[in-house]
């Protein structure tokens, strides 16, 4: 049953996100020295992040979008990762940077990296706006991370709960209402 009464607590303000993304972009520019990048943006949650990140990049890039879903309409991962839109990707010999919203268990990103690695990229790296504690125990190194956060479920800045709240300008913790309302 969806909770009818929920609370949103600001976790990361629009201003902090903007500053951090500018720093991430400077790091990416420094690392790639003007070599052209193939960005692979993971829909839907990373679309706002990607829009802001790309507008701070000096590095030339192409953009492709893939989709990944594991959560459905809940706040717990189903554990299964469904990838879409990967069929036409031409990444052979390219410097590929995957742009993700959140690393939680890391299963989604691991599945994406496994698939993209088989397309013969010259290099493959991962950029995530947020990283949760569970991702720390993984054998999955994120090359660029915006913010380390706690275990809470978050929304805003492209990220949803049952398709809502993507348009919030900051990142918010979503506190579900109790069963008694
Ligand atoms: P993982 O496979 O790393 O466990 O889960 C990663 C994906 O689950 C993320 O790309 C994101 O789409 C979704 N996810 C994980 N934590 C959250 C969260 O707190 N809020 C939202 N909206 N999505 C999340
Ligand atoms: Mg996602």
């Amino acid at each position: 049953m969806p909770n009818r009464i929920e609370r949103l607590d600001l976790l990361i303000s629009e201003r902090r996100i903007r500053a951090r993304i500018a720093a991430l972009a400077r790091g990416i520019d420094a690392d790639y020295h003007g070599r052209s990048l193939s960005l692979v943006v993971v829909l839907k949650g990373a679309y706002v992040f990607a829009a802001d990140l790309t507008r701070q990049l000096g590095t030339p890039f192409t953009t492709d979008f893939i989709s990944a879903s594991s959560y459905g309409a809940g706040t717990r991962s189903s554990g299964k990762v469904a990838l879409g839109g990967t069929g036409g990707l031409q990444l052979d010999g390219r410097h590929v940077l995957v742009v993700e919203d959140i690393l939680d268990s890391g299963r989604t990103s691991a599945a994406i990296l496994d698939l993209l690695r088989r397309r013969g990229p010259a290099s493959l790296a991962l950029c995530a706006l947020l990283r949760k504690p569970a991702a720390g125990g993984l054998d999955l190194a994120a090359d660029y991370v915006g913010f380390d956060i706690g275990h809470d479920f978050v929304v805003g800045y492209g990220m949803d709960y049952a398709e809502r709240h993507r348009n919030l300008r900051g990142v918010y913790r979503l506190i579900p209402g109790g069963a008694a309302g």
Side-chain angles (χ1 to χ4, degrees):
M1 276 267 295
N3 292 297
R4 287 176 194 286
I5 300 176
E6 58 190 31
R7 208 175 76 224
L8 297 174
D9 285 352
L10 181 65
L11 185 64
I12 311 171
S13 69
E14 183 181 9
R15 175 201 287 255
R16 281 182 66 206
I17 294 171
R18 194 181 313 122
R20 185 68 191 119
I21 288 178
L24 283 176
R26 284 195 299 272
I28 292 168
D29 286 342
D31 292 349
Y32 288 88
H33 318 286
R35 278 181 301 215
S36 180
L37 266 175
S38 285
L39 298 179
V40 176
V41 179
V42 184
L43 298 174
K44 299 176 190 174
Y47 81 104
V48 176
F49 175 39
D52 283 348
L53 179 69
T54 54
R55 286 179 293 173
Q56 298 283 342
L57 280 181
T59 306
F61 65 90
T62 60
T63 321
D64 287 289
F65 296 90
I66 65 173
S67 64
S69 51
S70 62
Y71 270 64
T75 59
R76 302 282 303 270
S77 175
S78 67
K80 288 196 193 125
V81 180
L83 300 182
T86 60
L89 289 177
Q90 301 281 338
L91 302 177
D92 193 44
R94 304 279 304 166
H95 294 286
V96 176
L97 180 62
V98 177
V99 180
E100 258 273 38
D101 53 0
I102 306 184
L103 283 178
D104 185 0
S105 71
R107 274 191 296 254
T108 303
S109 297
I112 291 167
L113 293 176
D114 279 352
L115 187 140
L116 299 186
R117 200 171 285 119
R118 285 185 250 128
R119 302 291 170 89
S123 67
L124 184 57
L126 176 63
C127 176
L129 178 68
L130 304 176
R131 179 169 58 193
K132 290 189 179 184
L138 277 179
D139 195 18
L140 178 79
D143 304 273
Y144 307 95
V145 175
F147 301 91
D148 278 296
I149 63 171
H151 294 281
D152 300 301
F153 192 82
V154 297
V155 296
Y157 201 72
M159 293 165 282
D160 74 310
Y161 174 60
E163 293 302 325
R164 289 157 51 226
H165 306 308
R166 293 192 196 276
N167 55 332
L168 296 173
R169 290 166 178 259
V171 172
Y172 292 77
R173 291 163 57 219
L174 182 131
I175 322 280

